[in-house]
Amino acid sequence: REALAVTAQLCGPELERYGRCVAASPGSWHRDCHQLSLSVTECASNHPLVRRFFFFCSDSFGAFERCLRERFFFFAECGPHVSQFLLCAQIFFFYVTQSATPSATPGDTPFF
């Protein structure tokens, strides 16, 4: 959720164009909107928090992507990979938000 919020804040126009494309192409969005998807990814990847997130969760994200490629027509089988990726995201953003709280002392080392 937090990664999407950061992405929406930084890349609103790109996300809006991508969303309109997906809505207009329900049967072929993965082909028709691919270039717009890349523009959202490129925009988001320029943010340090998003880059740290994908570095931290690269294993689970990679497994999820591989599953989608290998089981394109049976993507429901990728549920466990989605769960692992979402768990990683929750852990990452929990630690990020905890390290950014005012209760952190000046000598604390941030998690990331």
Side-chain angles (χ1 to χ4, degrees):
R1 192 169 33 162
E2 288 84 356
L4 287 177
V6 168
T7 303
Q9 182 180 7
L10 299 172
C11 307
E14 290 86 349
L15 274 174
E16 187 175 329
R17 284 191 294 273
Y18 178 63
R20 282 195 309 257
C21 181
V22 169
S25 309
S28 59
W29 64 268
H30 56 280
R31 270 190 325 272
D32 298 345
C33 307
H34 179 69
Q35 197 60 40
L36 292 171
S37 171
L38 294 176
S39 70
V40 172
T41 301
E42 181 180 344
C43 177
S45 68
N46 290 324
H47 191 278
L49 180 63
V50 176
R51 283 196 307 261
R52 287 188 308 213
F53 165 67
F54 279 107
F55 177 77
F56 183 77
C57 296
S58 63
D59 289 344
S60 59
F61 185 69
F64 171 57
E65 280 190 315
R66 276 189 304 281
C67 183
L68 287 178
R69 277 194 308 272
E70 294 167 2
R71 296 176 178 88
F72 182 76
F73 294 106
F74 305 101
F75 61 86
E77 295 175 6
C78 298
H81 298 289
V82 172
S83 297
Q84 287 296 319
F85 177 63
L86 293 176
L87 177 61
C88 183
Q90 287 176 336
I91 292 168
F92 175 84
F93 285 106
F94 171 78
Y95 282 109
V96 166
T97 56
Q98 291 301 312
S99 67
T101 59
S103 63
T105 60
D108 286 349
T109 302
F111 182 70
F112 299 98

